[in-house]
Amino acid sequence: MKLSTKGRYGLRALIDLAQYGEEEAVSIQSISARQQISDSYLEQLVRKLKKAGLVTSIRGAQGGYRLAKPAEEISVGDVLRALEGSIEAVSCQEGENCVGKDLCVARYVWRKVNKSIQETVDSIMISQLVEESRRIRENQR
């Protein structure tokens, strides 16, 4: 499985939003500058995250974006599914078109791999990544 820039950049943007949006709404331009992602691409990603209920927008002079729920309640899996769709490593053909489906033991492997990926991304919360980011920045000082 290889994540596209949607998943990678979107996750970075959401972590940034969690870090800087605790007190006030965060603008697309400020996220863009810190993360070095173009404004227009970031707007597309944030629109998808908003549609998935992960971010909310605030209008007006002090407007921008904030997390729609606490960072402790948003998993990496939530973000990746909102931006990438399915995050399976292998989508094995188990339907009628699969030749030898009744004898295919490789399906066992693909199910285990997919389950492992799902469990991993669902167990990592945005709040953990914010803390890790803070720890890295402190160690660089």
Side-chain angles (χ1 to χ4, degrees), residues 7-67:
R8 295 192 324 269
Y9 289 4
L11 184 59
R12 283 176 31 205
L14 203 74
I15 294 165
D16 186 284
L17 196 54
Q19 286 179 307
Y20 296 97
E22 292 175 339
E23 303 296 321
E24 58 189 19
V26 180
S27 71
I28 290 284
Q29 293 77 19
S30 64
I31 298 170
S32 173
R34 282 189 295 270
Q35 298 300 320
Q36 300 178 355
I37 303 169
S38 79
D39 289 4
S40 59
Y41 193 50
L42 196 52
E43 285 174 6
Q44 293 173 34
L45 300 176
V46 170
R47 221 174 298 130
K48 285 186 173 204
L49 294 169
K50 184 178 177 187
K51 185 177 178 183
L54 301 177
V55 302
T56 185
S57 60
I58 298 165
R59 293 180 176 230
Q62 301 299 316
Y65 294 91
R66 297 190 78 169
L67 296 181

Side-chain angles (χ1 to χ4, degrees), residues 82-137:
L83 297 169
E84 298 279 356
S86 173
I87 52 174
E88 292 183 337
V90 177
S91 59
C92 186
Q93 295 265 341
E94 293 187 31
E96 296 298 318
N97 297 333
C98 183
V99 177
K101 70 178 180 177
D102 295 329
L103 302 173
C104 181
V105 293
R107 285 189 317 176
Y108 173 78
V109 174
W110 309 141
R111 282 187 193 134
K112 296 277 282 183
V113 168
N114 287 338
K115 184 179 179 188
S116 178
I117 290 170
Q118 305 294 326
E119 288 172 351
T120 300
V121 297
D122 288 338
S123 72
I124 304 168
M125 306 312 277
I126 296 301
S127 58
Q128 293 172 281
L129 298 176
V130 168
E131 283 304 311
E132 184 63 23
S133 177
R134 286 182 181 142
R135 214 175 359 264
I136 290 170
R137 279 186 278 148

